[in-house]
Amino acid sequence: MLKTETPSSRHPDLDQYELPALIGAFVEDQVEAVNAVRAAAPQLAEAVARALPRIEAGGRILYAGAGTSGRLGVLDSVELYPTFSWPRERALAILAGGQSAMFVAVEGAEDDAVQGQADLNALQPGPNDVLLALAASGGTPYVLGAIRAARAAGALVIGFANNADAPVTREAEVGITLDTGPEVISGSTRLKAGSAQKMALNTFSSALMVKMNKVYGNLMVDLKATNAKLVRRALALTMRASGADEATAQAALQACDHHVKTALVMIKKGVDAAAARALLDAARGSVRQALAA
């Protein structure tokens, strides 16, 4: 039996717990998700290192999964645009059962390897693309179909599973095992297995974006200011990173469509928006290199 399906020996009487103990059991168990991601850190570093040159060459980040794993892939893909201005067309996710499966469980769809292959092929994968293949069990046929399509196209495949020696990690070029063990509720991988996958995806994509010059220091200076909250955040980030007062930061942001990177270079180099953009382009988006130019 898969470890993720094995009943937990720690909480055999879970249904009899008083509420404080019940909550405590769930919270305590999540610590194992953190430990699982920590143990997989070397493989995550390898995955980022191997993905980076492909993404820098114009490749896309692709995601494939079913159920909770698939929804986590969708979540990671859609958050890259507002957080890092990553183009939407360069972060695409397929989910067993299609888009409607984000909102209504389509359980049988995960068993269709042919559909997984077809859905991935519909994205027209290429050798610069990177597929993040997600399956708690590690053997989901839909995901395995997507892996085979990606590999046939020459894309890099990174496989995430919560069981050791799983097909998803064996068939990937970089396998990442998040060994979270039995769940508090037997087999419910939306619990700590899902938490570990979310952390691993956050770690992978955030590290990749840092290496793509989307961060200055530890500030998210390449965000898309698409709502009032993000406009305020852009102003605060510009003031913090440049040392400018609010009026100066606001004027710079208004001149460059609220792009924090550009505003920083404008203020620190004393140039206009066009010159700041040119410096950033020459520095491949690196604020540090643009400022040093």
Side-chain angles (χ1 to χ4, degrees):
M1 183 179 287
L2 297 173
K3 286 179 73 175
T4 50
E5 303 290 333
T6 303
S8 173
S9 61
R10 296 174 60 191
H11 302 285
D13 300 315
L14 187 72
D15 62 336
Q16 299 183 52
Y17 285 11
E18 295 295 332
L19 191 54
L22 181 62
I23 297 300
F26 283 121
V27 172
E28 180 189 359
D29 206 49
Q30 292 292 329
V31 174
E32 295 185 27
V34 177
N35 291 335
V37 178
R38 182 182 290 118
Q43 290 74 40
L44 282 164
E46 180 188 358
V48 174
R50 294 186 63 173
L52 184 59
R54 296 182 188 233
I55 301 303
E56 287 181 327
R60 300 170 297 172
I61 310 168
L62 309 178
Y63 302 75
T68 298
S69 298
R71 295 182 193 100
L72 289 170
V74 173
L75 179 62
D76 199 69
S77 73
V78 301
E79 288 182 342
L80 294 181
Y81 175 75
T83 308
F84 300 111
S85 296
W86 189 250
R88 292 188 179 99
E89 66 274 13
R90 293 184 66 191
L92 302 174
I94 61 170
L95 173 64
Q99 290 187 357
S100 62
M102 272 299 293
F103 307 102
V104 179
V106 185
E107 297 297 345
E110 72 176 50
D111 297 327
D112 195 341
V114 173
Q115 190 61 53
Q117 187 168 356
D119 288 352
L120 201 284
N121 278 331
L123 300 181
Q124 298 181 308
N128 285 329
D129 291 333
V130 177
L131 174 66
L132 307 183
L134 303 150
S137 69
T140 306
Y142 179 88
V143 178
L144 292 171
I147 287 175
R148 289 158 194 163
R151 296 210 63 175
L156 174 68
V157 176
I158 301 167
F160 297 78
N162 294 90
N163 288 290
D165 195 31
V168 161
T169 50
R170 286 201 308 266
E171 295 194 22
E173 288 155 280
V174 182
I176 298 174
T177 299
L178 304 168
D179 187 2
T180 44
E183 297 284 0
V184 171
I185 297 177
S186 177
S188 181
T189 51
R190 64 180 288 272
L191 298 174
K192 64 182 173 185
S195 297
Q197 288 185 359
K198 177 68 165 66
M199 284 186 278
L201 286 173
N202 275 349
T203 300
F204 172 85
S205 60
S206 297
L208 189 63
M209 291 297 115
V210 170
K211 291 299 183 182
M212 294 288 290
N213 298 319
K214 299 289 186 177
V215 173
Y216 176 53
N218 66 344
L219 304 178
M220 49 180 286
V221 295
D222 215 0
L223 79 161
K224 280 288 183 188
T226 53
N227 59 34
K229 176 189 73 176
L230 293 175
V231 168
R232 291 193 298 271
R233 185 176 296 167
L235 177 61
L237 287 167
T238 302
M239 293 172 65
R240 176 182 291 274
S242 69
D245 58 33
E246 182 173 346
T248 301
Q250 189 72 268
L253 286 165
Q254 289 176 351
C256 65
D257 195 27
H258 286 84
H259 189 220
V260 176
K261 273 187 175 185
T262 306
L264 286 178
V265 176
M266 290 172 65
I267 294 168
K268 284 183 161 289
K269 296 287 284 186
V271 298
D272 63 16
R277 290 191 190 99
L279 286 167
L280 283 165
D281 288 344
R284 300 178 66 192
S286 168
V287 173
R288 287 191 187 278
Q289 291 182 30
L291 293 177

